[in-house]
Every structure is written in structure tokens, then in C-alpha cells.
Amino acid sequence: MDLEFSAEDLAFRDEVRTFIAENYPAQLRGKQDEGEELDKEDFLSWHRVLAKKGWVAPAWPVEYGGTGWTSTQRYIWSEESARADCIRLLPFGLTMVGPVIYTFGTPEQKAHFLPRILSGEDWWCQGYSEPGSGSDLASLRTRAVRDGDHYVVNGQKTWTTLAQHADWGFFLVRTDPDAKQQEGISFLLIDMKSPGITVRPIITLGGEHEVNEVFLEDVRVPVANRVFEENKGWTCAKFLLAHERVGIAGVASSKRSIERIKAIAQTEMDGDRSLLANPFFKRKVAELEIDLAALEYTELRTIAGMAAGRGPGPESSVLKIKGSEIQQRLTELTLEMAGHYGAPYFRGFGEGDNEHPIGPAWANRAAPTYYNTRKTTIYGGSNEIQRNVIAKMVLGL
Amino acid sequence: MDLSTTETQDMLRDTLAKFLADTYGFEARQKMIDSPEGRDPGIWKALSSELGLTCAPFAEELGGMGGGAIENMIMMEELGKVIAIEPWLQTVVAGGGALSAAGGPLAEATIPQIISGDCLIAFAYAEPQGRYNLADIGTTAKQDGAGFVLNGHKAVVYAAPWATHLLVTARTGGSRRERDGVELFLVDANSPGISRRDYPTVDGFRASEVYLENVAIPGEALLAGGIDLIEQVADQCTMALCAEATGIARTMLAQTVEYTRQRKQFGQPIGKFQSLQHRMADMLVEAEQIASMSLMGTLRLGEDAVVRKTAVSAAKAKVARSLKFVGQSAIQTHGGIGITMELGIGHYFKRSTMIENQFGSADYHLERYEALTMVD
């Protein structure tokens, strides 16, 4: 066992660091610095740079376009990306449907979809939750009825992140209404431009248009776009959820947030001292750092287990619970730093308007981000559900 | 000891509650917020000249009902229940409180205007660098003949875009953060030299950055009392916020309980799940403590400065933390729908989050409490 990086790892770190410094899109950096909301092109700009370099999907098997990095190299990659404040690439193609397709898909599905995910040509969204099926996902009612070599899909999905930009969606649909809940579900890839699909925005508390409702009315989907067997979609769903939970810990980006908080608190004044010199504030930062270290080493142990061919099993729920709570506490602390300037509601620069936000630039998204980040303990299987998983699957209760 | 309310106080509460139930529905409130002015001026007119509620906390000789802090508490609780965006705290509590305490011709002239609804006040106490320290003031008030000339930048002044008058803290002498030399002025909002940058706030109000550039004001604009008066007024505002928090916390709890009765998952209402029941029981525990501390602090507002400050800081420190728990729990229990603009609960959460830090965060008030009560 060794905590230190080898010489090869250090060389790799330098290579990564240099690459990011030289290739991160300048326009994207500028928007991040000003706290502006990012649009589709912003997300794609960094995606395309990485795709060209061949680094866009480090975790994928090499045969499908992965990098072949060791788990340590992957860890270094995510550390360095966060350290340089690179945006997190959207997970829907790269870490959700991509692995489902290369694990369960047909050769035709792999050949068609995987390269397009890597290149960024297809933007994916996730059709899982329904108005009546959130934590109880397996109760979903969106119906797919076979009609020759098509399914005809009717129903409604919700919380569909960035569906307004999506070219394709992966959907859980009910193909056998008579089977036991989990056994009548299939996993379909649906072209979002299909007739009968309507996307309606849901505006969240920070004013963002991030999530949507998706209505499906007699949408015809070729049977060839079903992944894995009919009525076995729950296998894909579970596989995806377990993978989602690992990345959801967000250790590297939380580290970056703590560094950012410390840097701001060093210069932000609290009377005749810096805010970081305020013992109350400093204590909270220290506690967060320590909790984050505990999470990080729990994640490293999970990664090591995966490298040895185990899991990710239900222990990944530990990562989800702690990771999400830490992300929330970070936004709480940022809002606290903002003081009075947490209140102004800045909605980004309008067309032709370059008036500076009210108060310090770092403060103007503090409250919206705090509100928005309440989602982390709700999505990806709420933390209540994660505790159920631990109680049932780990503790055997 | 008597913690019961009078018949008049109950009547005030009922009158306001009924009026707000009719006027402050979810959609009506949203319409006010989205309007160009960001409010419905008719509501304030109704509260003041039509229903006569604004007279409640003022002395009888000035046209009031002879009430005080308890009346403000009752009003703020009800306003909190509908997350009203009315400037009661700024106009009646801060402006009215400062004028009542200072007395004199300015108070005699202005308080009837507050009662009639013609005078709307915004409390310009915060500055960009000052955080919650009321004496951390860079704005200057320079004596000029019989009057003063104001220069400076006041930060995040709630209700300033609507105000006829600004209640401004400024320094007549002394250095930054020195207690001596900070004074309170009531300034006509249209005085030459005042400019504003207006903006909406995340909790539905309108506020401004207020810039004072050689603003000449008469000597009578000074409300004598210095930092002691300013602290007293800020404490009154703090307790008004705690009362608002009581209304908000109880409403968030009620809405959450109701939601868990309606929302079904795994074949039953989610309110049947023990983990959620326990959380909602804890929300009730915290909401009740908010109500208790709101009452305690309000009852101590009339006492000498040390007792008052100790009580107010205890109340705000407790309320800030309990309110955070209630708000976060309400959202978590609602799930995704709680984070959207589409349901009321999220809007309550946005306001409750702002209350946590206004007029001093939990940390600020804990520090003040410790300094007042413990010798190292």
C-alpha cells in the first residue's frame, strides 16, 4: 500500500495539467468566472476538445474509445480537472447510457451510438422519473405497446435534465403491465425529434431552466432501439444507478470548492480581520475539509475494490449520502460568506447589457446555487432511499 | 406572568389573516413580484388607510392604538405565513421604531404619515464592507451649517425602490467601526444626490444599492441617539424577523405534512414512513422553539440594553438554526417538486434562507451573546 504517486503518475499529472492549461476554452472560462449560466455550446466546447484528444471517456473500455488509464490515472485526471475548475462533462451519454450500451447493447447499437456519444454529436437525456414514480421508480407507468417492429410509447416523464437540448433519450417504459413491477420494464433509446414528444420546462428555485417534463404521445420507437431483452430493462436501470452513485460523490469538485471558499474568505473582511480569521467560520471550513477527506478515502477504497473486480455494490450509497451532504454544506458556507450580498437576484447579463452584478461577482450566484444544490440529496435515489439500500443490502435488515 | 394576548391583539391578527387569505394567494403574490414595480401598492394602502393595521404599534397621541413590539410580532407572524413582500419591517418596525424612540417634531410629523400609508421607509444600515457590524460605517454625515451633507454607499437596502424616506446610518465623526460618531437620519428618498441601482432579491422583494453624493439634509433629519438607538432599532427588526420566521416555519411544516398525506410511493402515502414522520416531528420541535424564542426576545425588547441584546441574540441564533432545519427538511421531504418555482414551499424556503442571515447570522449573534454573558 502506498499513498504517494509514482514517477510515472507524476509525469502523467504534469501532462494533464499542461493539456488543460493550454486547451481549456477561454470563452467558457470567462463565463464561469462571471458566474453566468452555461448553454449547450459551452458544455460541448470542452467536450469536443477532450473528444479530439481521446480523453472524453476515461472509464470506458479501450475497444470502445476509453483511455486505458489506471484507476490512479483516472483519479489524477478528475483531481486535475477540478483543480483547474473545468466544468463537469454531462453524464447522460458518457457515464450513464454509454456504459449501458457497451455492456448490454447489440453490435449495431454499439457501432452507431458509442462514437456519437464520444464526439458529442448526440446530446442525451434520461427518461426515468415520472410524476407518480420518484423514489418508487419501479412503479413507472409510461407504456410501450408492440406494433410490428415498433413500440408505441405513451406516458409522461419528469425531472429530465437538459432535455431541451437533447437529441436522444434513454427511457424506462413498461412493456408488460401484468408482470411484477420490476419485471415488466424495458430500456428504450428514443430519438427526441420523434413526432409525439413534447418538452415542457420546469423552472427551479434559482431561476434555472435545467429540468423538464417530457410528454410522449403515440411515439413510435423501432424495436431495434431497445437495449437488452424485453422486460429486462430493470437490469440496465440498476446497473446505471450503481454507476451513477459512484461519480455522484463529487470529491474532486468539492475539494475545489473548499479551496475557492478559503481563497475568498482570506480576502473578504469581517471587521478588522479576514473572514477566515473568524474562528467560527474557520472551524466550519476545517470540519468540511476533514469530512471530505473521510469521503475521499472511502471513495478511493471503493475504486480500489472496483479495480480488483468488486462492485460497485451497495456501499456506493455511502458515497452518495456523504458526497451530497458535503456539496450542500459548501453552498451553505458560500452563502454565509456572501452576507448581505446573498440577497440580490442576478440573472446573468442580458443581451447588450454588461452591467456588473451587484456586490462581489462570486456572491451573485451564492443563493441560487444553495437553493439548486438541495437537489443533490434528492436525485440519483434520494438519501432516504440510499439509507434503505444500506439497511437492506449491506446490513441485511 | 401572563403570556396571553388581548382581545384587541386577537382581533388584529384575525383581521390581517383574513385580508391576507383573500389577497395573498400563490398566484397573486407571484403576479405582484413579476410586475414592473414588484408589488401591489393597493395592499399597503389597504393595510394602512383601509384596515388601519399600521396604527397598531404606535402611541395613541400620534394616532396609534398604543401597542408596540407584541403587535409587530403578531403582524409579522401573519405576514410570514403568506411570505408577504410588504415593507412592514422596514416602515413600521424600523422607521416607526426609530421615530417613536427619538420622539420630537419629526416623529410627530412622520408617524401619522406612516399610519396613513403615505410614508414608506427603507432601512439603509448595511454597507458593502460592514457585514453585520452596525458600527462598521463608512458613509459620512458632515455638519454643514444647521444641516448635514451625506456621502457614501449603502448596500442591499430592502424596499428602497418603493420608499418615500430612507432611514440612513452615517458617521458624523470617529473612524470606521468606532461606535462613537454613528448617527441615524431620516432622509427624503427624492433628495438631490441620491441615486439607486434597483434589483429584485432572491426572496421576492425589491432592493437597491443606494449611492449618496453630497446629499444635503436639514438638521432636523437627525434622530438623536447614536449607535445605541441604531442597535435598539436593529434589535426590533431582528425580533420582527423572528416573528416572521415563526409564521413561515409553521406554514412550511403544515404544507409538508399535507404533502406527505397526498403523495403516494410504494403503495402508500409517504407520511406513513417512519423516517419522514420523525423528521416532521423534529420540524415541529424546532418550529415551536422558533415561536418560543420569538416571544421571549420580543418581550425583552423594552428592557435595558444588556438584557435586550442578550435576549435578541439568543433568539436570533436559535431561530436561524432552527429555521434552517425546518426549511431544509421541508424541501427534502417534498423531493424534486420542492426545488421548483411551481409549488409554494420553495418560495417559503427562499425567504426563510434569507431570514437566517439578515440582521446577523447565527455566528454573529452567538458571538454577541458570548461577549455579553461570559467572562473568559
Side-chain angles (χ1 to χ4, degrees), chain A residues 19-337:
Chain A
F19 177 78
I20 293 173
E22 289 173 356
N23 293 284
Y24 197 74
Q27 201 192 342
L28 180 57
R29 169 74 63 224
K31 279 181 124 172
Q32 285 175 263
D33 289 346
E34 290 294 343
E36 290 188 67
E37 274 182 64
L38 304 180
D39 60 27
K40 181 174 183 172
E41 272 312 301
D42 296 322
F43 282 107
L44 281 175
S45 64
W46 181 225
H47 184 117
R48 289 196 192 105
V49 170
L50 292 174
K52 198 168 155 221
K53 178 78 175 169
W55 285 1
V56 79
W60 288 22
V62 176
E63 56 178 311
Y64 300 119
T67 53
W69 290 342
T70 64
S71 56
T72 306
Q73 285 176 314
R74 269 152 58 189
Y75 171 76
I76 289 171
W77 166 248
S78 66
E79 281 281 298
E80 289 301 315
S81 301
R83 205 182 70 94
D85 201 18
C86 303
I87 54 163
R88 291 174 82 176
L89 296 179
L90 291 175
F92 306 103
L94 292 169
T95 54
M96 292 182 167
V97 76
V100 168
I101 291 173
Y102 66 64
T103 306
F104 299 100
T106 62
E108 293 75 21
Q109 287 168 343
K110 292 179 193 176
H112 179 74
F113 289 110
L114 296 179
R116 297 165 68 98
I117 291 172
L118 292 173
S119 68
E121 191 172 347
D122 289 338
W123 179 294
W124 283 84
C125 67
Q126 178 185 29
Y128 268 36
S129 294
E130 297 181 7
S133 305
S135 286
D136 184 10
L137 182 60
S139 70
L140 61 91
R141 296 201 313 219
T142 294
R143 189 81 171 85
V145 178
R146 189 79 175 252
D147 177 25
D149 53 4
H150 281 77
Y151 289 105
V152 179
V153 182
N154 280 284
Q156 182 187 349
K157 295 290 178 179
T158 192
W159 310 129
T160 317
T161 301
L162 299 176
Q164 69 268 35
H165 302 316
D167 304 297
W168 284 83
F170 53 98
F171 285 74
L172 292 180
V173 297
R174 189 160 298 286
T175 33
D176 183 356
D178 302 320
K180 259 176 63 184
Q181 274 196 344
Q182 283 86 340
E183 289 165 13
I185 292 170
S186 298
F187 192 102
L188 295 187
L189 310 177
I190 302 183
D191 184 342
M192 292 298 286
K193 287 171 203 76
S194 308
I197 291 185
T198 311
V199 176
R200 188 189 78 86
I202 301 174
I203 305 302
T204 42
L205 287 184
E208 308 90 353
H209 175 196
E210 203 173 71
V211 288
N212 302 274
E213 287 181 295
V214 176
F215 299 88
L216 303 111
E217 201 184 335
D218 294 330
V219 178
R220 295 185 67 80
V221 181
V223 170
N225 288 353
R226 189 192 70 227
V227 179
F228 205 44
E229 297 165 39
E230 188 171 86
N231 298 328
K232 298 279 184 230
W234 194 247
T235 307
C236 304
K238 273 197 310 192
F239 168 87
L240 188 152
L241 283 171
H243 276 260
E244 183 186 6
R245 258 171 232 152
V246 179
I248 225 164
V251 171
S253 75
S254 288
K255 270 191 184 174
R256 162 76 193 166
S257 296
I258 287 194
E259 291 311 315
R260 191 165 159 269
I261 286 171
K262 284 199 282 195
I264 293 166
Q266 258 169 357
T267 54
E268 191 67 21
M269 292 307 286
D270 176 37
D272 56 1
R273 63 189 174 191
S274 77
L275 190 55
L276 201 57
N278 175 328
F280 289 89
F281 192 84
K282 188 160 57 180
R283 174 64 54 88
K284 278 183 251 192
V285 176
E287 284 175 344
L288 256 168
E289 262 189 17
I290 291 164
D291 281 359
L292 187 55
L295 175 66
E296 182 180 13
Y297 279 84
T298 309
E299 185 181 61
L300 288 173
R301 286 169 54 217
T302 308
I303 292 170
M306 283 167 72
R310 296 189 302 273
E315 317 74 51
S316 61
S317 290
V318 177
L319 304 178
K320 202 274 171 167
I321 290 172
K322 293 310 291 182
S324 57
E325 290 175 354
I326 287 171
Q327 287 163 24
Q328 293 182 338
R329 281 163 60 198
L330 287 162
T331 66
E332 253 176 70
L333 218 49
T334 306
L335 182 57
E336 233 178 279
M337 283 199 300

Side-chain angles (χ1 to χ4, degrees), chain B residues 285-301:
Chain B
V285 170
E286 298 303 320
E288 287 309 306
Q289 290 181 93
I290 289 171
S292 303
M293 290 308 256
S294 166
L295 182 64
M296 184 279 293
T298 303
L299 290 172
R300 297 257 185 251
L301 278 176

Side-chain angles (χ1 to χ4, degrees), chain A residues 131-132 136 284 341 377 384, chain B residues 209 263 265-266 279 332 363:
Chain A
D136 184 10
K284 278 183 251 192
Y341 283 114
T377 48
E384 289 86 346
Chain B
E209 298 301 288
R263 172 74 176 170
Q265 289 285 268
F266 305 102
R279 185 190 291 141
Q332 182 68 22
D363 284 357

